[in-house]
Amino acid sequence: MEYALIALVVTLTSTGQVLQKLGADRGLKNAKSFSQTIAALFQWEIILAVICLASAIVIWLAVLYMMDVSKAFPFISLGFVVVLLSARFYLHEIVPWNRWLGVVFIVAGISLLAQT
Amino acid sequence: MKKIESNAMILLSFSVLLSACAQLFMKVSMIQLQLHGGTDFGASFFFIIFENNAVLVWLFAGLSCYALSMLSWMLALTKYELSFAYPFLGITYILVYLGAVYWEQIGEQMTWQRTAGIILILIGVVFVNYKNSIKEEEVL
């Protein structure tokens, strides 16, 4: 149950992160004044990102209710693995070796954590 | 240019610190919820949350830190690429771990599996985000 919830949080946060980056690139980067910065926060990318992250956080509270935070929080790094796998097998990108090595380290770390 | 760079670095550090605080505050809030509620999150959450000040105050503190960390993260991303910024987020794992162990109200166990696991994840996050060649930039 906890792990299914963590998986859901990871999916929602990775989606939210990508949307944040898209939003930051499109609007915030070119904002020259305070009012332009505020306006840039209301683009659809940012609003969708906030919806993803807001639902993720309620689910995350349920995870924290059931689990140690020092155990649960590092599981969020699985987001990197999800993004990398989708880049390779869904977007057919070439993924350099250092990234695969990173995934091996993350998965090894997660499996140690899962035993505690 | 130098000035902008150092401002972005401050934003990045803020983001790391605030996101660690957010996790710890939310955990304290959930510990309070457990103390005052039952064994079920759903039932506890909706009935107890607005009746207990400790739950609500820590939750508010946690969510505020989370929102501010997200804002400073986004502003930092306008200056840095993800490949540079992400490894800094790895520091959050260490801060959350130390906070959860040494903050008495949370009082989680420090075990070698957990320490080793977090170190491995940290190394992994750096490797995943490391840009290793010009070739790769051309591909991307």
Side-chain angles (χ1 to χ4, degrees):
Chain A
M1 174 65 175
E2 293 100 298
Y3 291 114
L5 291 179
I6 289 177
L8 194 56
V9 170
V10 167
T11 313
L12 286 168
T13 24
S14 341
T15 314
Q17 287 276 348
V18 173
L19 287 166
Q20 262 181 278
K21 174 65 178 162
L22 291 175
D25 273 350
R26 195 159 71 90
L28 279 179
K29 210 175 224 169
N30 304 318
K32 300 224 161 34
S33 64
F34 181 72
S35 59
Q36 280 181 350
T37 306
I38 298 298
L41 290 178
F42 289 91
Q43 310 165 72
W44 69 267
E45 291 97 334
I46 307 273
I47 291 169
L48 208 58
V50 169
I51 293 171
C52 282
L53 295 170
S55 36
I57 215 155
V58 176
I59 302 166
W60 186 245
L61 286 171
V63 173
L64 289 184
Y65 188 84
M66 298 184 254
M67 257 174 129
D68 278 4
V69 65
S70 59
K71 180 181 180 179
F73 186 57
F75 275 81
I76 296 299
S77 61
L78 281 175
F80 291 117
V81 180
V82 172
V83 170
L84 203 84
L85 290 177
S86 54
R88 175 65 188 84
F89 296 105
Y90 181 66
L91 301 172
H92 304 289
E93 287 179 8
I94 295 165
V95 177
W97 65 270
N98 62 290
R99 293 183 196 249
W100 291 118
L101 187 64
V103 165
V104 171
F105 272 102
I106 290 175
V107 171
I110 296 284
S111 31
L112 265 180
L113 266 181
Q115 290 170 17
T116 63
Chain B
M1 193 62 199
K2 267 265 148 52
K3 181 116 201 288
I4 293 170
E5 292 280 309
S6 67
N7 282 349
M9 192 45 94
I10 290 168
L11 284 170
L12 204 54
S13 318
F14 256 129
S15 176
V16 166
L17 200 63
L18 286 166
S19 98
C21 287
Q23 293 301 322
L24 295 172
F25 294 168
M26 287 191 293
K27 180 62 192 179
V28 171
S29 169
M30 288 304 104
I31 288 172
Q32 293 294 327
L33 187 63
Q34 272 172 336
L35 288 176
H36 300 284
T39 46
D40 177 49
F41 171 79
S44 305
F45 193 73
F46 293 105
F47 292 110
I48 311 291
I49 189 166
F50 293 110
E51 289 170 13
N52 185 275
N53 283 336
V55 177
L56 205 58
V57 167
W58 284 113
L59 185 61
F60 182 75
L63 294 181
S64 311
C65 286
Y66 186 78
L68 287 174
S69 103
M70 188 175 134
L71 185 66
S72 44
W73 173 249
M74 275 200 299
L75 291 172
L77 280 191
T78 62
K79 300 290 183 297
Y80 295 128
E81 287 189 36
L82 277 176
S83 61
F84 179 81
Y86 258 134
F88 284 86
L89 276 195
I91 299 168
T92 318
Y93 301 127
I94 297 173
L95 294 178
V96 168
Y97 188 34
L98 293 177
V101 170
Y102 291 108
W103 188 346
E104 277 176 20
Q105 215 174 342
I106 304 179
E108 292 179 2
Q109 292 289 315
M110 188 179 264
T111 63
W112 74 265
Q113 283 106 324
R114 214 167 266 191
T115 310
I118 287 170
I119 291 171
L120 284 176
I121 290 169
L122 202 65
I123 297 171
V125 169
V126 172
F127 269 120
V128 161
N129 292 294
Y130 183 71
K131 261 192 181 169
N132 70 341
S133 65
I134 303 161
K135 214 178 192 173
E136 183 196 336
E137 280 168 5
E138 282 170 0
V139 171
L140 295 170

